[in-house]
Amino acid sequence: PMAYLLWNEYMKFNPQNPDFFNRDRFVLSAGHGSMLQYGLLHLAGFPNVTTEDLKQFRQLNSCTPGHPENFVTPGVEVTTGPLGMGIAMAVGLAGAEKHLAARFNKPDCELVDHYTYVIMGDGCNQEGISNEAASFAGHQGMGKLIALYDDNKITIDGHTDISFTEDVNARYEAMGWHVQHVEDGNCDMDGLRKAIDAAKAVTDKPSLIKVTTIIGYGSPNKANSHDVHGAALGADEVQATR
């Protein structure tokens, strides 16, 4: 739902001209969920990601590799995969926007005016690089950086309670971020809208929106399990989910 809202209601982009300068940037920091990004590109009308391309997911020489690659798939801003890498590069993108806006914008002419949106996961927040980058973003007051934290409490090894129980929102707040929490990221579309709107209204701080979700939502046998962390449901479970 959070990705749908961003692409359908908030983001500024042009499928026919993916590199136009003032587009909003989208970074899937949780790069192992790359099919989400390919599905978004396809549904948004990017001509380079067809139904046939989606069927070639994770196949050699396809434009839908296992992790997003910006030199392979038009519409992918940055290559992500190693956890924490995406949010760190998003800080760089937002920093570039802030610097260029300060350098070139005039009171009667705003040449540079775009947002950087990120979807990140538990694994991203476990990595040191994300903390260093987030600290810098807070210090610089990057108000056009909005990160949505998919808080599904699952890693590839199992539930996060075996290794990661810190208060992530409190950490980001301490680093100078504006923080919010949407408790039902599976169904509360209005709550997500209100949180994104509130984040955009804060212009002097980057924003973190913690969105609590259930991984594999709707799957009767694999929801809330690391069995759907980067793995296909399988034919039987797809049918049961339908």
Side-chain angles (χ1 to χ4, degrees):
M2 67 181 101
Y4 164 80
L5 277 182
L6 285 180
W7 283 71
N8 193 54
E9 299 184 15
Y10 287 94
M11 282 180 51
K12 176 175 58 180
F13 58 89
N14 182 353
Q16 303 304 318
N17 183 15
D19 296 326
F20 96 90
F21 175 74
N22 220 25
R23 68 194 182 277
D24 290 330
R25 273 61 170 174
F26 174 77
V27 177
L28 183 65
S29 189
H32 54 280
S34 56
M35 180 50 80
L36 170 65
Q37 187 158 16
Y38 303 141
L40 291 168
L41 291 170
H42 175 69
L43 294 172
F46 282 73
N48 55 288
V49 183
T50 65
T51 302
E52 192 58 37
D53 292 320
L54 297 179
K55 293 178 181 178
Q56 295 302 310
F57 180 51
R58 289 179 174 171
Q59 300 305 302
L60 183 65
N61 297 324
S62 77
C63 70
T64 51
H67 290 98
E69 305 278 4
N70 68 332
F71 56 89
V72 171
T73 314
V76 172
E77 295 291 346
V78 296
T79 297
T80 57
L83 294 172
M85 176 178 167
I87 179 63
M89 287 190 289
V91 169
L93 293 173
E97 192 278 342
K98 185 177 175 68
H99 172 73
L100 290 171
R103 177 70 178 82
F104 294 108
N105 285 358
K106 306 298 180 185
D108 60 343
C109 183
E110 290 196 356
L111 293 172
V112 184
D113 180 19
H114 57 264
Y115 285 86
T116 300
Y117 295 100
V118 188
I119 290 181
M120 61 193 302
D122 291 297
C124 297
N125 281 316
Q126 289 177 302
E127 296 290 342
I129 187 174
S130 64
N131 196 73
E132 295 172 39
S135 176
F136 180 72
H139 174 73
Q140 293 292 333
M142 295 182 187
K144 289 187 175 176
L145 173 61
I146 298 176
L148 294 103
Y149 162 34
D150 181 16
D151 170 43
N152 60 32
K153 296 181 172 60
I154 292 288
T155 70
I156 196 169
D157 298 316
H159 284 77
T160 55
D161 59 9
I162 62 175
S163 61
F164 186 65
T165 55
E166 68 180 49
D167 186 337
V168 173
N169 272 19
R171 171 156 61 96
Y172 276 73
E173 188 172 26
M175 291 189 289
W177 286 56
H178 172 250
V179 300
Q180 302 176 80
H181 183 197
V182 177
E183 296 185 4
D184 181 7
N186 302 301
C187 300
D188 187 4
M189 303 295 281
D190 285 339
L192 287 166
R193 287 188 185 94
K194 290 176 182 177
I196 296 171
D197 289 340
K200 294 183 72 173
V202 176
T203 59
D204 60 344
K205 294 180 179 182
S207 286
L208 178 77
I209 304 172
K210 177 180 175 180
V211 184
T212 298
T213 62
I214 297 173
I215 193 171
Y217 181 73
S219 169
N221 300 305
K222 294 188 177 182
N224 196 33
S225 163
H226 68 280
D227 289 340
V228 287
H229 185 283
L233 285 175
D236 292 343
E237 191 65 12
V238 167
Q239 188 59 40
T241 302
R242 286 176 175 168

